[in-house]
Amino acid sequence: MKFLTTLTLGASLLVGTTAMAQDHIMRLSHGENENNPTHVMAAKFEELVEKYTDGRIDVQIFGSNQLGSEQEVAQSVRTGSIEAEILYTGNLVPLAPSIGVMMLPYAFTSTQEAHAAMDALQDPLNERLPGEAGVRVLGYLEKGFRVLTNSEREVRNIEDLQGLKIRVSKNNIAIETFRSWGLDPIPMAWAEVFPALQQGVIDGQENPYTTAVSMKFNEVQSYISEIHYLIWSGPLIVSERWYQGLDADLQEALNKAGREAAAFGRDNSASETEVAKKALVEMGMTLSGAPEDEAKWQEAARALWPSFAEEIGGEEWVTEASSIIAEATADLSN
Ligand code: MLT
């Protein structure tokens, strides 16, 4: 962000006698602090957009849920009152069901598979999401598997899990998945999680290693289990209404910057995930690895897939998306 003294939308800004090249403000919201790969991607996007548009679009980043919770901001992006957001897919799916195809438990076994799926789905999703949710995807970030942390005990098997008060993101797929393991999870906005852990309202949560470090969860959590049920994926979405008001060259610049920033964010996440895991153990957290009865967890959660079809865009879309994903990941599973 350069030379900003006044908000201006759709018109050049004159400050004194100096003509500014900037034509558009693009507020980009996210829910993390500056140490998280989400912010790293946002900062790269800002740099690239300003470069590719010669400063005609001025990206302004608002992190740490300053503009509202991830789900609230998604509604504002839909109406165009906020231009853009990077958010967890699980927090977009109530507004944009079709993107829920990235949320099926145990669908991906590696980040490479998730990347192939996200990249192959981006254009088909952009055929659906503008009508469904008033947004389009410019790039898709991935931050590794969500790991389970809690303050009470090591979770080495499904019995250890019973009775824990675990927060999940506010979407039915997460809720039903945890129910399939015998829990009654607590859906809660991301912005409320740290204080809830601090006050003992919840015992645990699940998010990537990098998030556990950037949020300093080691101060309020003692145990980590690698439950592998879901890879954190999160789109950079832009308001369709705002995007359609831009010149074609600016739209192209955003498309290019979005994909490149996502690739940069994924690389950053891959290296930081290892660093974060080591740091959490050094700071005293107990790492239990994968549950010894992981097959049981998988079986219970995967059995739910057919019941999710309606809330992730319907049978026809699920069939189409599944074949896109299968084709994109075929070489990786051979
Ligand atoms: C959540 O658990 O709500 C999200 O994973 C938070 C985030 O966007 O990182």
Side-chain angles (χ1 to χ4, degrees):
M1 177 179 111
K2 298 179 194 78
F3 311 119
L4 180 70
T5 54
T6 307
L7 283 184
T8 177
L9 287 170
S12 294
L13 175 68
L14 288 175
V15 178
T17 57
T18 311
M20 309 287 289
Q22 161 208 303
D23 291 336
H24 304 276
I25 301 286
M26 182 181 197
R27 282 158 298 176
L28 172 58
S29 171
H30 68 75
E32 307 293 341
N33 61 39
E34 296 202 348
N35 301 319
N36 192 278
T38 295
H39 185 77
V40 171
M41 173 176 168
K44 180 50 96 177
F45 181 73
E46 174 184 7
E47 176 197 319
L48 293 174
V49 169
E50 293 178 4
K51 177 170 150 199
Y52 295 152
T53 67
D54 288 327
R56 287 172 62 204
I57 297 183
D58 177 8
V59 178
Q60 300 176 3
I61 301 171
F62 294 85
S64 299
N65 300 298
Q66 285 173 74
L67 300 184
S69 76
E70 291 189 5
Q71 294 195 357
E72 285 164 356
V73 172
Q75 291 289 354
S76 301
V77 176
R78 174 196 191 110
T79 62
S81 62
I82 295 174
E83 290 77 21
E85 180 181 24
I86 302 174
L87 77 172
Y88 172 46
T89 301
N91 288 329
L92 183 58
V93 76
L95 178 67
S98 297
I99 206 163
V101 291
M102 287 299 299
M103 287 286 295
L104 292 174
Y106 299 105
F108 301 111
T109 57
S110 70
T111 53
Q112 287 78 9
E113 281 181 10
H115 295 171
M118 292 186 290
D119 292 342
L121 283 172
Q122 187 166 326
D123 288 342
L125 279 171
N126 282 340
E127 298 285 310
R128 300 177 67 89
L129 296 195
E132 198 169 275
V135 304
R136 75 171 44 233
V137 176
L138 294 180
Y140 219 138
L141 179 62
E142 162 279 318
K143 298 200 287 191
F145 282 103
R146 296 172 76 85
V147 295
L148 178 72
T149 68
N150 86 91
S151 56
E152 296 302 298
R153 56 179 169 268
E154 266 194 85
V155 174
R156 283 175 300 207
N157 53 51
I158 220 158
E159 281 75 41
D160 292 335
L161 186 68
Q162 303 311 306
L164 290 175
K165 290 177 281 172
I166 303 294
R167 173 269 174 182
V168 293
S169 60
K170 291 163 82 173
N171 68 78
N172 209 33
I173 298 178
I175 295 168
E176 290 305 326
T177 299
F178 275 75
R179 283 193 179 145
S180 80
W181 300 329
L183 282 198
D184 196 10
I186 301 166
M188 184 184 282
W190 172 234
E192 294 162 22
V193 173
F194 190 87
L197 288 169
Q198 215 167 19
Q199 290 155 20
V201 175
I202 50 175
D203 301 322
Q205 61 83 48
E206 35 83 47
N207 256 293
Y209 274 117
T210 47
T211 299
V213 164
S214 63
M215 291 297 290
K216 296 191 164 65
F217 280 159
N218 55 293
E219 293 178 2
V220 287
Q221 300 279 267
S222 303
Y223 305 101
I224 311 175
S225 298
E226 294 182 329
I227 56 174
H228 294 140
Y229 88 108
L230 200 60
I231 287 177
W232 189 102
S233 67
L236 191 173
I237 54 168
V238 65
S239 165
E240 179 68 2
R241 183 179 291 180
W242 182 77
Y243 179 90
Q244 291 304 340
L246 298 173
D247 293 345
D249 62 327
L250 295 183
Q251 292 179 347
E252 266 317 297
L254 290 183
N255 298 343
K256 182 166 153 65
R259 287 199 185 254
E260 289 179 14
F264 187 86
R266 291 176 197 174
D267 285 349
N268 170 263
S269 166
S271 56
E272 290 304 313
T273 294
E274 285 313 305
V275 175
K277 181 170 171 175
K278 197 158 167 271
L280 290 166
V281 173
E282 279 168 7
M283 289 187 292
M285 291 191 77
T286 301
L287 174 58
S288 309
E292 58 211 14
D293 55 352
E294 196 168 23
K296 221 193 237 183
W297 300 56
Q298 287 182 12
E299 199 185 329
R302 290 181 70 114
L304 297 170
W305 282 21
S307 68
F308 292 143
E310 276 320 302
E311 55 204 301
I312 59 173
E315 289 286 353
E316 204 178 314
W317 164 242
V318 174
T319 305
E320 183 188 337
S322 303
S323 83
I324 293 170
I325 294 173
E327 194 179 327
T329 57
D331 289 345
L332 300 170
S333 45
N334 286 336

